[in-house]
């Protein structure tokens, strides 16, 4: 016997306004994409505010936000739904994508290129004029609610040729390119989110800039705003700024002894 289960979409509404400072016109572009029922592709390095921006957008639109962290084992059933056995009955359970389509939520697929190629194909009919989700196991075709929005993100700096979006996927989206904020803006973000004073925030941002300059010298990626914030929180909790930066930033960036020694020299020059 088939019986649909009810999911609580209310759990996906944000109850508080997320802190977000605009870098440019990204909000205006995203709102225009939503108004025209266009999907959104957000590109940018780790920890530069992509997920926080999606939370802020959901808050502005007053729509629920369903986030899926993509990975190698993510299957179509994980996104769309599956039958489970409950009380001797075959019960259909909607996946996050189906739930968003029906409820008019924003479905955000974070690091979409990490998902299997056969999984990402399911978003194609949702990301064009059809705005439809085929569910083969039910033999049904669901048309997205007018309020539904599809958004995906990825980090171009990490992707190989084998882990890149196909042109047939990429060209369905309105694309926004994110980067690390300008120093003045990043100082405000770090101070507000971590609780450190402006002077410490400025030094943390300066440290981040120094690490980002090492990207072509053996460091895969420089410190993100996220790392600066967590180092700031450690310092506010009573840890020395040097140890906070080691635990919260440099040791999260690399295990290479020579690179760690170079990063320690940077710390000592700043603090």
């Amino acid at each position: 016997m088939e019986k649909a289960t009810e999911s609580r979409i209310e759990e996906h509404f944000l109850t508080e306004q997320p802190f977000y400072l605009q870098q440019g016109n990204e909000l205006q572009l995203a709102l225009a994409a939503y108004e025209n029922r266009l999907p959104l592709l957000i590109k940018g390095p780790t920890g530069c505010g992509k997920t926080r921006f999606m939370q802020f957008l959901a808050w502005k639109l007053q729509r629920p936000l369903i986030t899926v962290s993509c990975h190698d084992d993510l299957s179509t059933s994980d996104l769309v739904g599956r039958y489970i056995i409950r009380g001797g009955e075959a019960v259909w359970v909607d996946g996050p994508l189906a739930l968003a389509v029906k409820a008019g939520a924003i479905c955000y697929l974070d690091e979409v290129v990490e998902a299997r190629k056969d999984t990402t194909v399911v978003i194609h009919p949702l990301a064009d004029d059809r705005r439809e989700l085929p569910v083969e196991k039910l033999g049904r075709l669901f048309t997205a609610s007018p309020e539904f929005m599809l958004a995906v993100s990825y980090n171009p700096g990490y992707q190989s040729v084998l882990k890149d979006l196909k042109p047939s996927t990429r060209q369905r989206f309105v694309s926004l390119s994110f980067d690390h904020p300008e120093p003045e803006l990043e100082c405000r973000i770090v101070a507000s989110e971590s609780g450190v004073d402006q002077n410490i925030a400025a030094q943390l941002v300066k440290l981040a800039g120094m690490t980002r300059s090492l990207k072509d010298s053996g460091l895969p990626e420089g410190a993100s705003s996220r790392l600066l914030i967590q180092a700031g929180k450690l310092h506010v909790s009573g840890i020395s700024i040097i140890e906070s930066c080691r635990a919260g930033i440099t040791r999260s960036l690399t295990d290479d002894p020579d690179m760690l020694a170079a990063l320690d020299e940077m710390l000592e020059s700043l603090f």
Side-chain angles (χ1 to χ4, degrees):
M1 179 180 177
E2 174 187 331
K3 183 173 67 175
T5 59
E6 295 296 330
S7 298
R8 291 181 56 83
I9 194 64
E10 294 83 5
E11 297 174 358
H12 297 281
F13 278 94
L14 279 73
T15 57
E16 296 182 3
Q17 180 176 347
F19 176 79
Y20 181 79
L21 296 178
Q22 286 198 71
Q23 297 186 44
N25 64 344
E26 65 269 22
L27 180 61
Q28 289 80 0
L29 286 169
L31 291 174
Y34 179 80
E35 180 182 345
N36 288 280
R37 300 180 185 176
L38 300 172
L40 202 60
L41 168 62
I42 303 176
K43 302 180 287 184
T46 300
C48 70
K50 299 188 297 293
T51 298
R52 179 61 63 87
F53 172 72
M54 287 308 305
Q55 293 171 344
F56 185 67
L57 177 63
W59 172 265
K60 292 289 289 186
L61 293 170
Q62 288 297 291
R63 300 309 306 158
L65 176 66
I66 301 175
T67 300
V68 180
S69 297
C70 298
H71 52 81
D72 290 338
D73 294 326
L74 186 74
S75 68
T76 302
S77 294
D78 292 327
L79 281 179
V80 175
R82 55 166 53 91
Y83 283 107
I84 64 171
I85 302 300
R86 182 177 296 167
E89 294 183 322
V91 180
W92 177 260
V93 178
D94 282 334
L97 188 56
L99 177 60
V101 164
K102 294 177 181 179
I106 300 172
C107 186
Y108 174 48
L109 306 181
D110 188 23
E111 296 296 342
V112 67
V113 294
E114 297 298 330
R116 295 184 340 210
K117 295 295 183 183
D118 61 326
T119 302
T120 56
V121 171
V122 76
I123 71 176
H124 281 190
L126 277 174
D128 57 28
D129 292 341
R130 291 171 289 177
R131 287 172 58 88
E132 294 173 342
L133 177 65
V135 182
E136 294 182 6
K137 291 182 179 179
L138 292 178
R140 296 186 61 184
L141 187 66
F142 294 98
T143 300
S145 167
E147 294 85 8
F148 168 78
M149 184 180 203
L150 176 66
V152 303
S153 73
Y154 78 107
N155 179 352
Y158 281 163
Q159 309 315 325
S160 67
V161 174
L162 297 177
K163 281 195 172 183
D164 198 1
L165 287 178
K166 294 180 180 179
S168 59
T169 302
R170 185 192 299 269
Q171 293 187 27
R172 284 171 158 83
F173 289 84
V174 171
S175 297
L176 301 181
S177 294
F178 278 51
D179 204 345
H180 300 295
E182 293 296 323
E184 182 180 351
L185 184 62
E186 193 166 23
C187 283
R188 292 172 59 192
I189 293 170
V190 172
S192 177
E193 291 283 273
S194 69
V196 297
D197 61 41
Q198 287 291 336
N199 290 332
I200 293 293
Q203 293 300 88
L204 289 171
V205 169
K206 188 173 181 180
L207 173 64
M210 296 168 73
T211 66
R212 291 164 191 168
S213 69
L214 296 175
K215 189 172 181 180
D216 296 325
S217 302
L219 195 65
E221 195 162 60
S224 65
S225 300
R226 181 189 296 126
L227 290 186
L228 306 187
I229 291 166
Q230 67 185 28
K233 287 180 177 179
L234 292 175
H235 182 55
V236 169
S237 294
I239 309 299
S240 73
I241 189 61
I242 293 287
E243 282 305 310
S244 295
C245 288
R246 284 175 177 156
I249 301 175
T250 61
R251 291 170 184 166
S252 297
L253 290 176
T254 182
D255 293 318
D256 181 80
D258 293 335
M259 185 61 70
L260 285 172
L263 293 173
D264 272 343
E265 290 183 10
M266 291 180 183
L267 282 177
E268 291 169 6
S269 70
L270 291 171
F271 301 105

